[in-house]
């Protein structure tokens, strides 16, 4: 340890000392959830003092040392175990016995991004990465119904699942809404989602919306011979209403596999996400992350990263979560954030910002033991019996300002096609309307799969040609 560290350690008061161990022998021994924060002190404390205050407040402590501590309670202290003064980073280890039994993700977040984000002692505090030990992972649900199950239902492999969000975001009647769904499906699209505020509005009652979507889907399936999926927003004011919405969908006669449940995971909360995961293990649980920007935007010094949000969504059992367009679409985001997050939840093991996360307890060298079929599908955890071998994948959902022209640029940064994309304006703004917009999207995907440039492919594919012309001009105008 260098002398700067010695000075910092000497500066700690007796309370703070109990939350620091810069010589923690083996943080990856399985007892801890590990975390890395960007931390800038905001008050009178230096960085190690502030980090100790953060570790205290986010585990067992408070602003003063209390006389009610016990020898056991002290073993539950979070520990600052590493600091990087230059990069303003601190590593904190949380004994995971602190957390609610029974796989409760909400409870973890209440500790590690709870009160601490409001502390005076910090001017910046951003949780950049987390690491779960295999023994901890085993206690959490993880996804049940995955994108692989959806692919089987749709009979769609080796390309992105092509989706849309109905626009206008709000204001269509239930019949008008369903007509837009039909048009997209009839044009060759696979997946339609409610926009995230869709609920039981007076001009578009939920029950009628469900009924009309069922009719629209039946018609599209009959005509195209292809299976289709609709993701319904089941977020609601209370548990009973949320479940009523789920049951209404199930009882409307949809084929299992043809519906997903969308939940506004941040505004409705983690309890809602985990409730859906546990009650409906055979349904795709679609985590929409509206409001995440308040925590994840890089210019906000407080909060957590897209990677952290996404990893917790996988832990909680979301089948898929929005991970961003890596700057290719309309929302803020970079490959460093969005692609790292997407890979972080879809593979069995991946490099995060600081930690390499394995989602299995079986060594990578022993892939046969976890029933992995071959190298190409190394990210598919196959559970052959009930024993826990690993946590299933969570699907990146890619949305926000994308259009057919931007599909290939996104795939190029993403590096794989194992995702669902939902394009709203990118489909409904097509000059020929939704059905032709869907066809243009399918054509853009075909061009990618055939390795043909879309300009070239658009000769002979009128819908794509119109999309290229429209979106190129629209983007120029927007500039
Ligand atoms: O409605 C849309 C996109 O519509 P459009 O395709 O018309 O932009 C999505 O809810 C958000 O963009 C989600 O953002 P993210 O996926 O980044 O959470
Ligand atoms: Mg939306």
């Amino acid at each position: 340890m260098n002398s700067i560290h010695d000075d910092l350690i000497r500066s700690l008061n007796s309370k703070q000392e109990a939350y620091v161990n810069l010589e923690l022998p083996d943080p990856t021994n399985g007892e801890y959830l590990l975390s890395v924060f960007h931390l800038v002190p905001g008050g009178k404390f230096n960085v190690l003092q502030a980090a100790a205050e953060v570790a205290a407040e986010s585990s067992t402590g408070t602003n003063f040392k209390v006389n009610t501590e016990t020898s056991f309670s002290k073993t539950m202290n979070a520990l600052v175990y590493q600091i990087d003064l230059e990069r303003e980073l601190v590593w904190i280890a949380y004994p995971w016995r602190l957390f609610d039994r029974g796989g409760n993700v909400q409870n973890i977040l209440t500790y590690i991004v709870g009160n601490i984000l409001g502390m005076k002692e910090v001017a910046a505090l951003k949780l950049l990465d987390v690491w779960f030990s295999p023994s901890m992972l085993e206690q959490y649900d993880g996804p049940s119904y995955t994108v692989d199950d959806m692919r089987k239902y749709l009979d769609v492999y080796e390309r992105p699942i092509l989706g849309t969000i109905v626009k206008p975001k709000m204001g269509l009647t239930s019949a008008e809404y369903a007509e837009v769904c039909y048009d997209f499906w009839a044009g060759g699209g696979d997946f339609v989602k409610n926009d995230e505020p869709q609920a039981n509005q007076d001009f578009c009652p939920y029950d009628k919306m469900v009924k009309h979507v069922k009719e629209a889907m039946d018609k599209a399936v009959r005509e195209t011979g292809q299976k289709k999926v609709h993701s319904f927003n089941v977020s609601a004011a209370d548990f009973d209403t949320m479940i009523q919405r789920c049951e209404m969908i199930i009882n409307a006669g949809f084929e299992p596999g043809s519906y997903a449940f969308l939940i506004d995971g941040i505004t409705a909360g983690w309890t809602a996400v985990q409730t859906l995961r546990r009650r409906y293990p055979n349904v795709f649980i679609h985590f929409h992350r509206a409001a995440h920007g308040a925590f994840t935007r890089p210019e906000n010094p407080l909060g957590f990263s897209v990677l952290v949000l996404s990893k917790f969504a996988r832990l909680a059992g979301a089948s898929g979560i929005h991970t961003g367009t890596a700057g290719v679409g309309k929302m803020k985001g970079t490959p460093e954030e969005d692609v790292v997050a997407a890979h972080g939840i879809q593979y069995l093991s991946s490099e995060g910002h600081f930690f390499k996360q394995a989602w299995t307890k079986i060594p990578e060298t022993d892939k046969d033991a976890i029933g992995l079929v071959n190298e190409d599908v190394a990210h598919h955890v196959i559970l052959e019996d009930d024993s826990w071998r690993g946590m299933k994948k969570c699907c990146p959902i890619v949305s926000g300002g994308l259009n057919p022209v931007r599909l290939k640029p996104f795939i190029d940064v993403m590096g794989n096609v194992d995702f669902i994309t939902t394009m709203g304006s990118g489909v409904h703004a097509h000059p020929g309307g939704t059905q032709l917009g869907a066809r243009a999207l399918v054509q853009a995907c075909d061009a990618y799969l055939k390795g043909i440039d879309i300009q070239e492919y658009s000769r002979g594919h009128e819908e794509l040609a119109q999309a290229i012309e429209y979106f190129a001009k629209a983007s120029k105008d927007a500039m």
Side-chain angles (χ1 to χ4, degrees):
M1 196 136 352
N2 61 34
S3 64
I4 304 178
H5 282 188
D6 288 346
D7 289 346
L8 286 172
I9 287 176
R10 268 193 295 274
S11 73
L12 299 173
N13 64 32
S14 70
K15 185 203 81 178
Q16 291 162 350
E17 269 171 5
Y19 293 94
V20 175
N21 182 356
L22 295 182
E23 281 162 8
L24 189 65
D26 183 12
T28 58
N29 69 1
E31 289 174 26
Y32 302 102
L33 178 156
L34 303 181
S35 61
V36 178
F37 290 87
H38 175 240
L39 188 159
V40 179
K44 54 187 187 318
F45 291 130
N46 66 39
V47 66
L48 191 60
Q49 290 168 328
E53 293 295 334
V54 164
E57 184 66 41
S58 59
S59 60
T60 57
T62 179
N63 50 333
F64 292 117
K65 185 172 164 57
V66 294
N67 296 318
T68 41
E69 279 181 329
T70 65
S71 52
F72 177 75
S73 78
K74 288 187 219 166
T75 67
M76 292 295 103
N77 290 359
L79 297 169
V80 179
Y81 69 94
Q82 193 177 323
I83 52 172
D84 180 331
L85 296 173
E86 223 163 274
R87 292 190 291 165
E88 302 172 318
L89 298 173
V90 302
W91 281 251
I92 299 180
Y94 292 88
W96 64 263
R97 285 179 73 191
L98 277 170
F99 307 136
D100 188 19
R101 305 286 81 194
N104 178 358
V105 169
Q106 163 276 324
N107 181 258
I108 304 176
L109 295 169
T110 299
Y111 283 100
I112 71 171
V113 283
N115 287 349
I116 52 173
L117 296 183
M119 287 170 68
K120 280 183 189 160
E121 285 81 2
V122 293
L125 187 66
K126 195 115 181 189
L127 178 55
L128 300 176
D129 203 350
V130 284
W131 180 80
F132 312 125
S133 72
S135 50
M136 180 184 162
L137 279 176
E138 198 174 347
Q139 306 296 318
Y140 289 79
D141 298 355
S144 170
Y145 189 96
T146 69
V147 67
D148 295 337
D149 299 309
M150 189 186 285
R151 287 187 177 286
K152 224 177 276 169
Y153 179 74
L154 287 167
D155 195 21
V156 165
Y157 303 95
E158 286 160 24
R159 67 162 171 83
I161 292 175
L162 302 177
T164 193
I165 313 119
V166 172
K167 303 282 173 176
K169 194 189 277 275
M170 200 48 62
L172 298 182
T173 66
S174 46
E176 289 163 346
Y177 176 91
E179 207 178 311
V180 180
C181 296
Y182 166 80
D183 281 340
F184 181 73
W185 286 323
D190 308 307
F191 177 99
V192 180
K193 83 170 185 59
N194 278 155
D195 219 333
E196 67 281 0
Q198 183 84 44
N200 185 30
Q201 280 82 6
D202 62 4
F203 50 81
C204 186
Y206 203 88
D207 54 348
K208 284 199 176 151
M209 185 267 296
V210 170
K211 180 175 151 285
H212 286 298
V213 168
K214 169 81 173 64
E215 289 163 5
M217 185 184 282
D218 287 349
K219 189 167 169 229
V221 170
R222 236 182 1 253
E223 290 173 7
T224 62
Q226 299 160 340
K227 300 284 188 191
K228 307 291 178 185
V229 175
H230 189 281
S231 182
F232 290 94
N233 184 14
V234 297
S235 311
D238 57 65
F239 171 86
D240 294 326
T241 312
M242 178 174 85
I243 299 301
Q244 272 164 19
R245 288 182 181 170
C246 297
E247 294 298 315
M248 188 193 292
I249 294 155
I250 292 169
N251 294 328
F254 284 95
E255 201 170 73
S258 69
Y259 54 88
F261 294 154
L262 183 148
I263 182 77
D264 292 323
I266 296 193
T267 56
W270 293 89
T271 306
V273 176
Q274 292 205 259
T275 299
L276 293 174
R277 157 65 181 86
R278 289 180 178 186
R279 284 184 86 104
Y280 301 107
N282 297 320
V283 178
F284 188 95
I285 307 302
H286 178 163
F287 189 130
H288 194 288
R289 57 179 187 161
H292 76 94
F295 305 96
T296 62
R297 283 182 76 131
E299 62 269 46
N300 180 353
L302 301 157
F304 43 79
S305 66
V306 176
L307 175 65
V308 166
L309 171 63
S310 307
K311 285 176 84 167
F312 277 112
R314 182 174 183 173
L315 200 68
S319 309
I321 181 170
H322 291 238
T323 48
T325 62
V328 177
K330 74 181 180 190
M331 310 295 257
K332 272 259 187 183
T334 61
E336 293 74 49
E337 295 168 90
D338 297 357
V339 174
V340 168
H343 291 179
I345 58 171
Q346 66 183 169
Y347 293 126
L348 197 52
S349 154
S350 68
E351 291 289 347
H353 300 309
F354 296 90
F355 299 116
K356 181 168 184 175
Q357 179 72 57
W359 296 87
T360 170
K361 64 179 172 186
I362 297 165
E364 255 182 273
T365 45
D366 198 6
K367 288 193 176 126
D368 288 345
I370 46 175
L372 297 176
V373 189
N374 60 44
E375 286 298 317
D376 289 336
V377 289
H379 50 291
H380 297 224
V381 181
I382 297 179
L383 302 166
E384 286 168 340
D385 54 42
D386 281 346
S387 65
W388 190 92
R389 290 132 188 258
M391 192 165 271
K392 290 190 195 175
K393 61 167 35 171
C394 176
C395 180
I397 301 172
V398 180
S399 176
L402 289 182
N403 63 55
V405 181
R406 294 190 175 176
L407 182 65
K408 181 180 182 302
F410 177 75
I411 296 173
D412 289 344
V413 272
M414 175 74 169
N416 70 56
V417 293
D418 198 13
F419 60 90
I420 300 172
T421 181
T422 55
M423 302 186 185
S425 63
V427 166
H428 312 296
H430 188 284
T434 297
Q435 203 166 130
L436 302 201
R439 275 194 221 155
L441 175 55
V442 172
Q443 290 163 3
C445 187
D446 288 346
Y448 173 81
L449 296 174
K450 290 177 179 158
I452 304 172
D453 178 74
I454 55 165
Q455 291 286 356
E456 192 184 325
Y457 198 72
S458 71
R459 284 181 228 123
H461 294 94
E462 186 51 26
E463 297 84 356
L464 184 59
Q466 286 176 334
I468 294 170
E469 193 190 345
Y470 173 81
F471 288 110
K473 184 175 177 312
S475 310
K476 222 183 274 159
D477 291 350
M479 303 281 273

